[in-house]
Amino acid sequence: MNKIRIGIFSLSSCEGCIVQILNLEDILLNLLKKFEIESRILGTQNRTESYDIAFVEGSVMSIDEEMELKKIRRMSKFLVALGECACHGGNFLVRDFNVGEILERFPGSETWYSNPIDRYVRIEYYIPGCPIDKEEFFTVFKSLLLEKFPEQISNTVCSECILKENNCLIDKGIACLGSITRGGCKAICPTFNRECYGCRGLSDDANVEGLLQTFKEKNIEPPTHLTLITRREGRKT
Amino acid sequence: MSHELIEVKGVPKVEGAVDVVVKLVNDNFKVEVRAREGIRLLERLLIGKSYKEIPFIVSRMCGVCPIVHNITSVQALEKALSIEPYEDAKSIREAMVIGGHLQSHLIHLYLFTLPDLVGKKNILEILEGKEELVKTVLRLKRVANHITDTLGGRAVHPITPTVGGLTRYPSKNILETLLMESTLFKKTLREVLEPILEAEIPKFENRTQYLSLHDSRYPILEGKLSVSNEIFFEQEEYENIISYLNEEYSTARHYLINGKPYMVGALSRLNNNYSQLCDDAKEYSRKYRISFPSNEPFVNIKAQAIEMIHLADKIVDILEELTSKPLKQENIKYNIRPGEGVSISEAPRGTLIHHYKVDESGKIIEANIITPTAQNYKSIEECLQNYLTTLIGEKLNTISKEVEKLVRAYDPCVSCSARFLREH
Amino acid sequence: MPIFLDRIMKYYQLIGPVKTEKGVSFEYVSECDKVDLDYLGHTVLPPKKFFFPPIEEMFAYEYDETGNLRIYDFLEEVSKGMRVIVGVKPCDISSLLVLDKVFTGEYNDPYYTTRRNNTLVVGLTCNKPKEYCFCTYVGSGPSIKKGFDLLLSDLGDMYLVEVGSEKGWKLTKFNLDIFNEAENEDIKERERILLEVEEEIRKKGLPNFATIDKVLVERFLDRIWDDYSRKCLACGKCNFTCPTCRCFTISDEPNPDLKSGKRFRIWDSCHFLSFTKVASGEVFRKDRPSRFKQRIYHKFVYSINEIGSISCVGCGRCIEVCPAKINILDVLKEVIVGGKSVSAKVS
Amino acid sequence: MVENPYLPKLAKIEAIKEETVDTRTFKIKILDEKVRNSFNFTPGQFVELTVFGYGEAPFSITSSPYEHENFSITVRRMGNVTRGLFRLKEGDIIGVRGPFGRGWPIEKIKGNDILIVGGGIGLAPLKPLIEYIILQRRLFNNVILFYGAKTPKDIIYKELFDIWKQYINVELTVDFAEKDWGGHSGPVTVLFKNFKLESNNIYSVQCGPPIMMHFVTRQLLSMRMEPEKIYFSLERNMKCGMGFCGKCMTGGRYVCREGPVFNYSEVKNFLETPV
């Protein structure tokens, strides 16, 4: 049997998601031996004609990247969006042009963009997060080898936070977005006493209005990027 | 008359997408190093945001060295608010940064560079015959990551550093475990350094200026700036020394000192701070006959290896100190006030500058970030131009390979640097 | 008490309330002086997690060289070793009694029952209620009549110990040197403390829950539910902190060799959209009000048919952890009082 | 150690039959002889089927209760488990738990007229009942089968209808007819046009998409069929099959244990509308 061919690609991003894959130290070597993994960062491009699974990190910020992405799509059986930039365009962390002040200061910036990759191509699976959770990546990876799509996690960060028996940050007056954010990160930020900032996108049935109401009752100022999270998911706040 | 001689699209085994174009202009080589990553406007994005969100956002500039970005911004903001955290918090942050340096150097030296040194294409080819070495390196990398994971919450985009201290302090147990691990790291590291330190590197000199921090201790997060051990100046004066320029062909900004290219990174650090290294590191550099100051850009690789010995020593010292007494698990209380702060640190790839102005409500009104790789671009171009003259007569294919190697020796980090903004 | 715990640890794995940097939680204890029997109210996660863990490996499978499939049952691990859990409050003991009924019957859940059989419960009567406690209204505290092997009551300078089972009796029998016969006064003192606690909870002036199921049935389509579900963030914390919630999902994870893998069961929450989703993509409780209701109706209505009683034990955890601070008592009060809208509070 | 009902019993795929483009019938044989011999089911019950690595999902047993060596399920490719199942070939190993649940009320309906209504793959759990009726034909009165599918191509068990027609009345309809389709077209309710309730001794059993069962039930109620004589099989997210995991609970009842077959008088008191 031929080795399964995996491609790992990077568009505009910090490459933190790829670093997270490299951080799978314990199993990395086995994966490299078992599968044909192609990536620029590893210097293992063989210019294959097809991939069984392609992981694409980063958002599309130019025509070049759009063409590259479409080429990858044509070559791949499964395409997985890796990380916040690929899943949601990385809007709130990397680039939010068109937001008030920036537009005022830099006319013309409205023509710049940073788009999630599913705006251009069909995606089989999303691994959200900034950066991705390396264990989640591995789980998805294993499933895709069987052509199985793991259930897109539909729980919330809150529900994972409570499993760590953390105290609620909202109770302490901190603007934590855990209750409306898709889980899968094992509530890592709240576990280190830092508010969830929603990098995994909204959960299936996020009650943004309800959370804003809760913030209001507790005199908590919502974070500025909440509007961006909701805007990119096509919801109004 | 100008025509393109060589174009390397997407130099492999570097962080981020960069193309190198070699042109022949009037019989002279002209090299363009073009960052291809999308423009990511970071500084503009920070304006109007609360100072609290800044460390979080800036670590997203780079997935390889997020820790040092994060902590440098925290330090700059602390200066802007005129506060200084307790020593223990500072030590923990330093340990995190060192953990980050170690893992970054390990990736660069073994995943990216070692194949060049032994004439292989990539890590996979090295596996044959050298699997044990790779396994050990990966084990070391895991320890380095474990340090940042446990202290910072996560190795990529750390969580705990915050203005005034840390959001969560490690327990004594955790610190003791880390001490044990890093002591082992220190020992094991020496087993794997040989292939790097012994390797043949191209003999090539390129006189240039070297910028780094300079301090009574080997500098990481503090110190004055030094140019080739000749000019010294305070961090706040950086704008008087460093000037920038935009090149149409790149999404990154380019920097100069005295109108000339300069180099930052491990080589600069060692050139400017050799005497502050720990004894072990000095001994290794004597043993393998690597002397500093050096004008050979490829020595940067060896400088990283020597530096790792020092850093591994240092992290053990820090953790010993932290575990020897009760830990102060407290943040500095502060009031928000308008102010301005500059913090300069040594990131794995060189000098990193963060500079913020904060208004009375804690919102950012001005921000300037200068990354190591952006500072190195002009130096890489100059260096490549000189290097190419030594390669005249070689096959184009060989030349491309050599170009790649030299670019890699600089350990560029393209995503960090891609923030150039066309002024209107 | 440390002497007793120390002796227990010689023969059993000890689980108890332990002070952590975040508060108190039930954990495996390696040093018995870490056990905190003075903890107020209850832990964030109930002791349920030691009988029904959040993630549980059920079995592993593997194809051997000849292509035969073998299954390795993790139940074998579960059945090894005896444990003692100390410091379980009556509300949490009651919840175990609820789970006992749920997990047995026509079928037995072996993972749960094995752990139950392997674990002795040393209870602890409640000396002081927390802000949201309402155990006396649902008859699950501050003391309890059954469900423990031993029951401790803190009388200040000593513990009164009530034996609840043969196993519990054995635990004391081998340690008679540190036990004295209880005196009537001690028993009276315990009663006095319990009455005080009851009195304190009674002051909350809650309505009678005796007929709550009938009232709820009538009000299934009330707009109360719409109002509350606008507030509810559907985060699922109430499910995971509830000592009687036990819904779960099952999933397989293959290993990268594709020849072996594991099956897990993982806690699930009726607040999640995916909870009722079937393979075709159909979701049977699409709207938030219907999911908001499911937890409450399961506890106070369906449970009566299922196990003969409501399955709320009055610990108040769900109130405490709710980020939107939805108070189930307010909800029930409103249901009983009748349709007073909360929209005024919401908008 | 106690018997663990969560452990699947190993079984082998004996045969695979293509029903439609995305639907196949799998013939399954439990490996262990003892387990195989004690595997008895009533029509309408389901099994939890494991495709190792992919997971477990409920499928109605679709073979005749008189078949002992094997049993069959009919599967439409939908989710992960079915995708995994479709990758398997004859001879491959799967896991089986069950049978679970309450099947069709055979004892009750004996001696009566029976209206069987199926939609799409919903015919699968009805098939063993139909085969039971045919084998015990004299125990039942008039029996009618109404079956609807999306297009003629989506009709399952095509080859069986002619056999069944010899014993019971069969009417077919498709939502979207093609030129050479000579039969009825439209939803299954169109078949009720010529249908009259002739006596009170009639039961109806149905299985299909929720929307079909909704309209058929309305239709039957409007024809004054007694609610306790209208039976259907509910589809829910059944995971454990034993009433533990809570995922299939509907209106306080566990569909996996107390169903999947319910009658209308039972469910009409459910607080949640199940069909």
Side-chain angles (χ1 to χ4, degrees), chain C residues 10-210:
Chain C
K10 287 207 175 78
Y11 302 98
Y12 299 90
Q13 272 185 296
L14 184 66
I15 302 165
V18 172
K19 262 210 184 82
T20 65
E21 67 180 294
K22 299 165 197 157
V24 179
S25 63
F26 275 98
E27 281 174 14
Y28 280 104
V29 181
S30 51
E31 294 154 71
C32 62
D33 53 348
K34 294 261 166 72
V35 174
D36 174 21
L37 289 179
D38 299 324
Y39 75 103
L40 186 64
H42 45 251
T43 51
V44 177
L45 285 189
K48 172 181 81 172
K49 66 177 179 181
F50 288 98
F51 302 96
F52 173 48
I55 294 186
E56 173 160 32
E57 294 178 338
M58 303 175 87
F59 63 82
Y61 69 89
E62 188 177 15
Y63 288 95
D64 62 17
E65 297 81 26
T66 56
N68 286 324
L69 190 97
R70 282 177 207 292
I71 289 181
Y72 175 76
D73 190 355
F74 286 114
L75 194 55
E76 284 173 33
E77 303 293 319
V78 173
S79 51
K80 281 176 198 154
M82 291 292 284
R83 308 181 295 179
V84 172
I85 182 165
V86 297
V88 187
K89 295 275 170 81
C91 50
D92 287 340
I93 296 178
S94 305
S95 77
L96 292 176
L97 296 175
V98 168
L99 291 176
D100 286 350
K101 286 188 202 155
V102 169
F103 279 128
T104 57
E106 192 183 340
Y107 297 96
N108 277 337
D109 187 292
Y111 299 97
Y112 174 82
T113 49
T114 308
R115 287 198 175 85
R116 275 291 270 156
N117 294 335
N118 283 355
T119 312
L120 272 63
V121 175
V122 178
L124 175 68
T125 58
C126 197
N127 279 11
K128 188 151 181 57
K130 237 172 149 180
E131 191 183 350
Y132 301 113
C133 289
F134 61 102
C135 57
T136 59
Y137 288 89
V138 291
S140 68
S143 187
I144 191 161
K145 295 270 182 294
K146 57 175 184 177
F148 53 84
D149 297 288
L150 292 178
L151 182 66
L152 310 175
S153 298
D154 189 351
L155 301 183
D157 47 358
M158 59 177 158
Y159 285 95
L160 183 77
V161 181
E162 191 182 328
V163 176
S165 75
E166 188 64 26
K167 280 183 194 160
W169 171 238
K170 275 187 191 149
L171 216 51
T172 57
K173 207 168 67 177
F174 295 116
N175 293 292
L176 280 180
D177 54 321
I178 49 171
F179 287 94
N180 292 318
E181 192 75 28
E183 294 183 17
N184 264 342
E185 278 165 45
D186 302 332
I187 296 167
K188 269 188 203 148
E189 172 65 6
R190 178 173 97 158
E191 292 311 309
R192 191 191 60 76
I193 294 172
L194 291 175
L195 275 175
E196 244 178 54
V197 175
E198 277 178 42
E199 191 49 40
E200 204 177 325
I201 299 178
R202 190 166 300 124
K203 274 190 213 142
K204 298 184 179 182
L206 299 178
N208 187 352
F209 291 135

Side-chain angles (χ1 to χ4, degrees), chain A residues 10-16 19-20 22-23 25-26 28-29 32-33 37 40-46 61 65 68 91-97 101-102 105-107 112 130-131 134 188-189 191-195 197 221 223-225, chain B residues 10-17 37-41 44-45 47 49 53 56-57 60-64 103 107 111-112 121-122 124 127 131 134-135 138 141-142 145 149-150 153-157 159-162 167-168 415 421 424:
Chain A
S10 184
L11 305 174
S12 283
S13 68
C14 76
E15 307 217 340
V19 174
Q20 282 288 72
L22 297 182
N23 285 351
E25 291 99 2
D26 296 348
L28 188 64
L29 216 49
L32 285 174
K33 282 197 275 184
I37 298 184
R40 192 196 61 232
I41 204 162
L42 289 172
T44 53
Q45 306 113 302
N46 281 336
M61 297 178 85
E65 286 183 330
E68 192 183 340
N91 261 323
F92 75 111
L93 289 172
V94 186
R95 173 167 163 168
D96 53 359
F97 315 129
E101 224 167 318
I102 289 177
R105 280 178 178 227
F106 302 101
W112 299 338
C130 182
K134 54 185 179 184
I188 184 164
C189 291
T191 302
F192 282 89
N193 297 327
R194 167 79 74 167
E195 69 276 17
Y197 52 95
E221 197 189 333
T224 47
H225 59 254
Chain B
V11 178
K13 291 176 285 169
V14 300
E15 200 283 338
E37 295 276 323
I39 309 156
R40 292 190 303 154
L41 267 187
R44 305 303 164 195
L45 203 152
I47 290 165
K49 291 234 159 86
E53 294 179 54
F56 234 66
I57 300 172
R60 265 78 187 172
M61 290 173 75
C62 176
V64 180
Q103 80 100 17
I107 292 187
L111 257 53
F112 298 169
K121 218 170 121 197
N122 54 42
L124 281 178
L127 274 180
E131 187 163 339
V134 177
K135 271 189 184 155
L138 286 174
K141 186 170 162 311
R142 192 178 63 205
N145 271 334
D149 264 339
T150 34
R154 186 164 54 198
V156 177
H157 305 330
I159 297 162
T160 59
T162 187
T167 57
R168 183 172 159 185
S415 9
L421 180 74
H424 288 263

Side-chain angles (χ1 to χ4, degrees), chain C residues 249-269:
Chain C
T249 190
I250 299 176
S251 76
D252 277 23
E253 203 179 302
N255 290 335
D257 63 5
L258 304 185
K259 287 197 164 79
S260 58
K262 272 181 198 159
R263 177 163 296 173
F264 298 87
R265 72 168 170 192
I266 306 157
W267 287 3
D268 205 343
S269 155

Side-chain angles (χ1 to χ4, degrees), chain C residues 1 23 29 47 58 110-111 118 215 217 245 250 260 292 301 334 343:
Chain C
M1 188 49 60
V29 181
M58 303 175 87
Y111 299 97
N118 283 355
V215 186
V217 168
C245 267
I250 299 176
S260 58
F292 181 79
V301 183
E334 261 171 62
S343 55

